[in-house]
Amino acid sequence: EKFEIIPLTKNLEKGDYKPKYRWIDIGDGEFSLPGHLNLEILIKPVENGFMAGMSNGVNITLVQEEPFQNLESAIELCEKVIEEVKAIDGIHPIKHAWQELKIDADWALKARNLPATPKQISFLRQFHAYTPNINKEDALITITTILALERKTRRLYLGY
């Protein structure tokens, strides 16, 4: 199965904030920023806006108690939390946990011209998502999407 990444900018209002990380649209209006060590930042729609939380794979702690009025403001604060390396109720957003998802035009240009690494290829094969001649950037995006969807499935199973 080939995963399709829906650009986040299609879902943002016409504001000034441009995301600094590659957020993954995981369906149902939810967005995920999966990091290493089971860390994840999740944004979900609620009745009067969006809620954002940080998960360590077991618990989710809200970034703020009140819903954000729009997706853009939720993303902006979540990215600020990462950049400032703040802990939220003991879940510490280790800055490098999300480093690979940072939008970096120079890295992306280089990665498009490099083949996927053996480790990436192995991971993609495990999930039957490998395509011949996949480049390093596409492999990263596909792997990130798989992780985000796996974590969503686990959250649904655990009931949170």
Side-chain angles (χ1 to χ4, degrees):
E1 180 180 351
K2 184 76 173 154
F3 294 97
E4 197 172 319
I5 306 300
I6 300 167
L8 178 64
T9 51
K10 283 185 179 178
N11 300 289
L12 293 178
E13 295 173 9
K14 303 227 184 310
D16 294 331
Y17 190 74
K18 301 288 182 244
K20 297 175 185 157
Y21 293 84
R22 297 174 194 270
W23 289 82
I24 306 298
D25 184 332
I26 55 174
D28 303 320
E30 298 178 6
F31 292 88
S32 170
L33 191 62
H36 297 299
L37 308 170
N38 281 328
L39 292 174
E40 178 182 29
I41 297 178
L42 177 68
I43 298 174
K44 310 177 69 152
V46 292
E47 188 174 313
N48 51 350
F50 291 86
M51 294 302 289
M54 188 177 296
S55 172
N56 60 5
V58 178
N59 300 310
I60 293 180
T61 302
L62 296 178
V63 172
Q64 74 176 27
E65 294 295 321
E66 296 297 316
F68 292 91
Q69 289 183 354
N70 57 52
L71 180 59
E72 190 174 81
S73 58
I75 289 170
E76 184 174 9
L77 185 60
C78 289
E79 290 187 353
K80 192 173 188 177
V81 166
I82 293 170
E83 293 296 318
E84 294 179 2
V85 195
K86 289 183 179 173
I88 300 176
D89 283 354
I91 300 174
H92 200 282
I94 303 164
K95 193 172 186 176
H96 71 269
W98 288 280
Q99 198 59 39
E100 291 176 351
L101 297 177
K102 192 154 183 131
I103 296 171
D104 179 344
D106 292 336
W107 180 87
L109 188 60
K110 290 176 194 170
R112 279 184 207 122
N113 295 317
L114 294 172
T117 66
K119 199 172 181 179
Q120 286 176 319
I121 291 170
S122 174
F123 183 94
L124 292 170
R125 282 192 170 133
Q126 282 181 328
F127 286 88
H128 308 285
Y130 173 73
T131 54
N133 302 317
I134 189 167
N135 66 43
K136 194 171 183 175
E137 181 188 33
D138 289 343
L140 172 67
I141 291 169
T142 304
I143 290 167
T144 303
T145 303
I146 291 168
L147 290 173
L149 292 171
E150 287 282 311
R151 290 173 184 179
K152 180 178 182 175
T153 301
R154 182 177 34 190
R155 277 193 308 279
L156 292 172
Y157 177 75
L158 295 174
Y160 73 91

